[in-house]
Amino acid sequence: MSLGESLILSVVGFGVVIGILGLLALFIKAMARAIYKKEQAAAPAPVKEVVKEEVPSAPAKDPNKVELPADTSMGQCDLHNVSDRDAALIMAIVADKLDAPLNTLVFKSIKEVK
């Protein structure tokens, strides 16, 4: 095989590879659009009104311990240079790693460490 033939063969090979990669990229974009449209069609209608229920306050047996229903959270968490979204993610990860319900944990402060 001469030098000219090998150059032509390598150019054709590269062209085939680039063409296949381009077709693969188009296929992935088409699939992503189809999945996105399917999710949009299956999404429930947005809730227009939020109903808040008040938690009845029961007298505490121990003055140092406040008993709340299992579906409520308590306390205030101070956020220092952390967005609400990041804080929620951190809380969820900690609860998952501890294998404990999130409403049983008390976060006092979340601060970004640089």
Side-chain angles (χ1 to χ4, degrees), residues 60-81:
K61 296 176 185 174
D62 183 2
N64 294 329
K65 183 178 180 183
V66 177
E67 294 182 18
L68 294 175
D71 62 345
T72 61
S73 62
M74 60 183 197
Q76 182 77 15
C77 180
D78 296 326
L79 303 179
H80 304 280
N81 294 330

Side-chain angles (χ1 to χ4, degrees), residues 1 7 11-12 18 26 28 36 42 45 62 68 70-71 84 87 100 103:
M1 182 183 287
L7 286 175
V11 168
V12 169
I18 297 298
L26 292 174
I28 290 172
Y36 178 73
D62 183 2
L68 294 175
D71 62 345
D84 289 341
N103 63 341

